[in-house]
Amino acid sequence: MIVSNMEIIPGKRITEHLGLVQGSTVRTKHVGRDIMASVKNIFGGELQGYTELLSESREEAVDRMKKQAEAIGANAVVNVRFSTSSVTQGAAELFAYGTAVIME
Amino acid sequence: MADLIVLAVFLAVGYVFGRIAEKRHYKSIIKREKQYRHIAAISSRIPPPSQPADASMLVTGSVVISVDYFKRFLASLRTLIGGRIISYESLLDRARREAILRMKQQAESYGADKVFNIKLETASISKSAKGAIGSIEVLAYGTALIPVDR
């Protein structure tokens, strides 16, 4: 399964478009991490707990998108986009979507 | 009175640690930007026809970074008179450069030498009670082209 955010796949020909596939996840960290983050808010710097949280959940969203694409018989997802939104304090929704295609 | 002392301590701590953190971060960014210069990050949507057909792969890099208490205080004063908020400009600059570096790092680990169609996305994930930006997340993603032996 090739995942790409370009409209084409270099060297491959796309034979069929199967439509939009998407994956999303809403996640939060335990309260200890939130307390650590608010302490970090005084000192400044990277909030590693949140970075980790977001990249993990983004992977999860991409995985779900891939599963959906597999289920409809695609072998690649092109033109993938990400979007993030905060649902409540400390929780984030990560959303990935793209076009499922069959390439030769 | 006690409130004032707490405020002063937070401001001093934020100023000192924030400055050190920012300087150290910029140093490391500049060093790693030199190190990853050989990986071209290109924002064209489609590679030129001359580009050989390589394997493609999605690469991402993200960072969540927070501004210190002192700078946030300065920014809230700045909103009274308007104008540039320099302290937030450097925060966003650092976050974007860091995200691009992490994306390049991932591309390198796959053996890629070019990344096409780079998109940058910024989201403020933790809003404080007053609605001011506390910390921001920057995500950089693109398609890495990995040369295949033919």
Side-chain angles (χ1 to χ4, degrees), chain A residues 3-8 10-11 40-47 50-51 54 58 80-84 86 89, chain B residues 13-14 17-18 45 47 53 58 62 64 66-69 72 102 117 119 121 125 127 137 139 141-143:
Chain A
V3 177
S4 158
N5 79 334
M6 282 196 286
E7 287 145 52
I8 56 159
K40 256 285 165 74
N41 264 324
I42 296 167
F43 295 100
E46 190 185 344
L47 307 176
Y50 281 141
T51 306
L54 289 170
R58 197 164 285 123
V80 171
R81 294 282 179 275
F82 289 108
S83 124
T84 315
S86 69
Q89 180 86 44
Chain B
V13 163
F17 284 91
R45 283 197 312 155
L58 191 74
S62 74
V64 179
S66 158
V67 74
D68 61 66
Y69 197 85
R72 194 165 325 133
R102 288 186 184 179
N117 200 9
K119 298 266 186 275
E121 202 198 278
I125 54 155
K127 293 194 185 82
E137 197 227 357
L139 164 71
Y141 59 105
T143 300

Side-chain angles (χ1 to χ4, degrees), chain A residues 41-44, chain B residues 7-23 67-74 87:
Chain A
N41 264 324
I42 296 167
F43 295 100
Chain B
L7 179 70
V9 168
F10 275 8
L11 284 180
V13 163
Y15 179 73
V16 172
F17 284 91
R19 252 185 105 93
I20 293 171
E22 181 170 316
K23 268 202 181 139
V67 74
D68 61 66
Y69 197 85
F70 179 74
K71 286 190 166 182
R72 194 165 325 133
F73 185 75
L74 274 192
S87 52

Side-chain angles (χ1 to χ4, degrees), chain A:
Chain A
M1 173 78 62
I2 289 180
V3 177
S4 158
N5 79 334
M6 282 196 286
E7 287 145 52
I8 56 159
I9 296 165
K12 299 277 194 327
R13 213 161 57 82
I14 291 168
T15 52
E16 204 179 326
H17 279 260
L18 296 174
L20 197 74
V21 284
Q22 50 185 299
S24 85
T25 171
V26 181
R27 284 220 194 166
T28 178
K29 276 278 186 209
H30 59 84
V31 72
R33 286 279 199 196
D34 286 341
I35 292 168
M36 278 303 293
S38 53
V39 170
K40 256 285 165 74
N41 264 324
I42 296 167
F43 295 100
E46 190 185 344
L47 307 176
Q48 260 146 7
Y50 281 141
T51 306
E52 226 171 76
L53 165 76
L54 289 170
S55 57
E56 268 170 26
S57 17
R58 197 164 285 123
E59 264 166 44
E60 173 85 38
V62 170
D63 274 350
R64 287 185 185 172
M65 186 184 69
K66 277 186 187 168
K67 277 212 187 92
Q68 205 186 339
E70 241 164 53
I72 58 173
N75 61 3
V77 184
V78 296
N79 222 344
V80 171
R81 294 282 179 275
F82 289 108
S83 124
T84 315
S85 52
S86 69
V87 182
T88 57
Q89 180 86 44
E93 194 218 6
L94 285 299
F95 182 48
Y97 58 104
T99 310
V101 296
I102 296 176
M103 59 174 190
E104 63 184 10

